[in-house]
Amino acid sequence: MDKLSKSTKWKAVIIKSTMISGFAFFLVTFLSIGILSQGVVADIRYPSFFVVQTITIADFFERFEVIIAILWYITIFFRLSLLLYIILEGLKGVFNLTSNQSLLLPICFISLFGAMSIWDDVTSLIEYLEVWRFYASLFGLLFPLLLICLGLFRKKALENKKGINQ
């Protein structure tokens, strides 16, 4: 929380980045549906990739989908890096650690093992997405509520400890 309270521009940055990414998402979706039609877009797993794959300029410039793939890899790298940082900072706060470096390697190994063992192929992923709402409710609602309760309990315990010491 200290990092958020020190910065005065974080709300504007979040709003601007949300607006930019939302507009980009809308534009890609609109162009994909406009070029391929709604029926084709519904049947293709990655319609924006398919749209770029069909682009040919003068039968010479082709393979523009490589650019999309490179952008996807860069985006995934930054999203995973940000997620790892958030996890480390959160665990550092929960366990009252001075540095999160001691957690870096174990969390990376857990993430790597999880990525390799959660699903084997796309079919497993599709089956997993059917039960995703239960996992999302667990980790998106119940786990944060548990952390909030633990934080409030810890805060109350510290206040009681200060009251006893005075």
Side-chain angles (χ1 to χ4, degrees):
M1 232 21 196
D2 294 335
K3 294 185 192 295
L4 293 178
S5 61
K6 290 179 186 175
S7 176
T8 57
K9 299 180 182 180
W10 68 272
K11 287 182 182 179
V13 169
I14 288 176
I15 290 172
K16 286 179 186 176
S17 62
T18 302
M19 295 297 286
I20 291 170
S21 61
F23 177 74
F25 181 72
F26 172 76
L27 185 66
V28 167
T29 303
F30 182 75
L31 289 175
S32 295
I33 291 173
I35 293 170
L36 297 175
S37 83
Q38 183 267 337
V40 175
V41 169
D43 292 336
I44 299 174
R45 186 173 307 273
Y46 301 110
S48 60
F49 189 78
F50 183 76
V51 167
V52 174
Q53 196 174 22
T54 59
I55 295 175
T56 342
I57 300 175
D59 290 332
F60 182 69
F61 293 112
E62 296 179 350
R63 308 288 298 179
F64 289 106
E65 69 269 12
V66 173
I67 296 169
I68 297 293
I70 290 171
L71 290 175
W72 278 349
Y73 278 113
I74 291 170
T75 304
I76 290 169
F77 171 77
F78 279 107
R79 285 175 56 190
L80 288 176
S81 298
L82 182 63
L83 182 63
L84 179 64
Y85 176 74
I86 290 169
I87 289 171
L88 290 173
E89 285 296 316
L91 290 175
K92 182 178 108 174
V94 167
F95 295 122
N96 279 337
L97 299 173
T98 56
S99 173
N100 58 14
Q101 291 179 351
S102 61
L103 297 172
L104 180 63
L105 203 57
I107 295 297
C108 285
F109 280 130
I110 290 170
S111 301
L112 183 64
F113 175 74
M116 292 187 317
S117 65
I118 287 178
W119 51 74
D120 299 326
D121 54 10
V122 176
T123 308
S124 302
L125 173 63
I126 292 170
E127 290 174 4
Y128 175 75
L129 290 177
E130 291 176 4
V131 295
W132 168 249
R133 62 179 163 261
F134 302 113
Y135 292 108
S137 64
L138 176 68
F139 290 107
L141 181 66
L142 297 177
F143 188 65
L145 285 175
L146 176 69
L147 289 177
I148 289 171
C149 291
L150 285 174
L152 292 174
F153 178 74
R154 197 171 90 193
K155 183 179 178 182
K156 192 175 231 182
L158 287 175
E159 288 174 357
N160 288 342
K161 195 175 195 181
K162 285 181 185 178
I164 293 173
N165 290 337
Q166 290 178 357

